[in-house]
Amino acid sequence: MFTGIIEDVGAIQSLQPSGEDIRLTIKPHKLDLSDVALGDSIANNGVCLTVTAISGSTFSADVSHETIKRTGFAHYQAGSKVNLEKALQANGRLGGHIVSGHVDGVGQVLSIENVGRYVEIWLQAPVSLAKYLAEKGSITVDGVSLTVNKVDGCHFLITLIPHSLQQTIIGLYKVGTQVNLEVDVIARYLERLMLGDKAAEHTVDGQKKDISMAFLAENGYLR
């Protein structure tokens, strides 16, 4: 588990194809690896990866074909910057919100505007994630725990303070930049809970049963 509070910005040193997978080697800037062991988890731009090797000041992790399909790793290359966060220790502070490190989809930066000392960024989420966007709710963008300040369909606004811009890769964003998104895990469980006994029903042709207005009315959630 993670909190979305970035500890360091590292750089991808190499990406080595291994069949359909990739062996990724990351060089942190200042992240202390002295307490990291093989098998530990480190979030890279919000993607939970297992450390498979440590060599001096670098660590390696394997990225599966499934992860490549669902995240921005398909567009990364040697030299790309990544936000880094080690897994939360039981005695640590939950400074952001509960982050699983399982990316739900890839979004895109629509606009960037300076407002005083702050920066406002509008992003577009995949249509399938729009229902999880809530004003003043939480969302993870490239591993960073952020507050959704406005929502317009599948577009949402985040506001960055100078510290966040300096300590993460968000300060490098441009219009069109693709970002990893993870919605609030509580919303995921709530959606599943609302299915009630229907959650045990098999899907048809692999299609997931989504919450709809008709479903809510049928099950007494709407008057």
Side-chain angles (χ1 to χ4, degrees):
M1 189 180 78
F2 305 92
T3 69
I5 303 300
I6 302 304
E7 298 178 82
D8 190 18
V9 172
I12 297 177
Q13 193 172 65
S14 67
L15 300 95
Q16 300 175 320
S18 177
E20 293 186 335
D21 302 337
I22 292 176
R23 166 61 67 90
L24 185 73
T25 299
I26 300 289
K27 183 174 180 57
H29 174 60
K30 61 180 180 180
L31 189 70
D32 182 12
L33 299 179
S34 63
D35 62 345
V36 175
L38 299 185
D40 284 355
S41 297
I42 296 180
N44 295 251
N45 274 3
V47 181
C48 177
L49 296 178
T50 300
V51 176
T52 57
I54 301 174
S55 178
S57 60
T58 68
F59 70 90
S60 298
D62 293 326
V63 184
S64 70
H65 179 61
E66 176 70 10
T67 299
I68 295 170
K69 287 194 306 181
R70 290 181 174 271
T71 70
F73 273 103
H75 306 285
Y76 296 169
Q77 56 189 349
S80 294
K81 303 291 187 181
V82 289
N83 292 320
L84 300 175
E85 180 190 355
K86 291 187 284 189
L88 176 68
Q89 294 182 329
N91 62 348
R93 292 180 176 176
L94 188 61
H97 70 282
I98 297 174
V99 177
S100 69
H102 300 151
V103 171
D104 293 300
V106 177
Q108 182 172 311
V109 175
L110 297 177
S111 67
I112 302 173
E113 182 180 357
N114 292 309
V115 181
R117 297 176 59 244
Y118 303 90
V119 172
E120 292 188 340
I121 302 178
W122 276 97
L123 300 103
Q124 178 176 317
V127 172
S128 61
L129 300 185
K131 59 187 173 183
Y132 302 113
L133 301 175
E135 188 168 324
K136 300 308 176 183
S138 297
I139 193 165
T140 308
V141 179
D142 276 341
V144 184
S145 172
L146 294 166
T147 299
V148 176
N149 284 325
K150 291 182 181 179
V151 178
D152 182 8
C154 60
H155 298 174
F156 65 97
L157 177 71
I158 56 175
T159 302
L160 284 303
I161 62 175
H163 178 79
S164 296
L165 294 170
Q166 295 165 2
Q167 300 299 316
T168 72
I169 67 168
I170 296 180
L172 303 175
Y173 285 177
K174 300 177 181 178
V175 172
T177 296
Q178 294 189 320
V179 298
N180 293 325
L181 300 177
E182 180 187 332
V183 300
D184 191 342
V185 66
I186 295 175
R188 282 289 193 192
Y189 281 110
L190 180 60
E191 178 187 36
R192 185 71 175 171
L193 181 64
M194 290 179 69
L195 286 172
D197 292 340
K198 291 185 180 293
E201 296 179 3
H202 292 289
T203 57
V204 178
D205 296 327
Q207 296 299 309
K208 184 174 66 174
K209 293 178 179 297
D210 287 327
I211 298 294
S212 64
M213 296 301 289
F215 173 86
L216 293 175
E218 178 184 348
N219 289 274
Y221 291 104
L222 299 177
R223 294 182 179 180

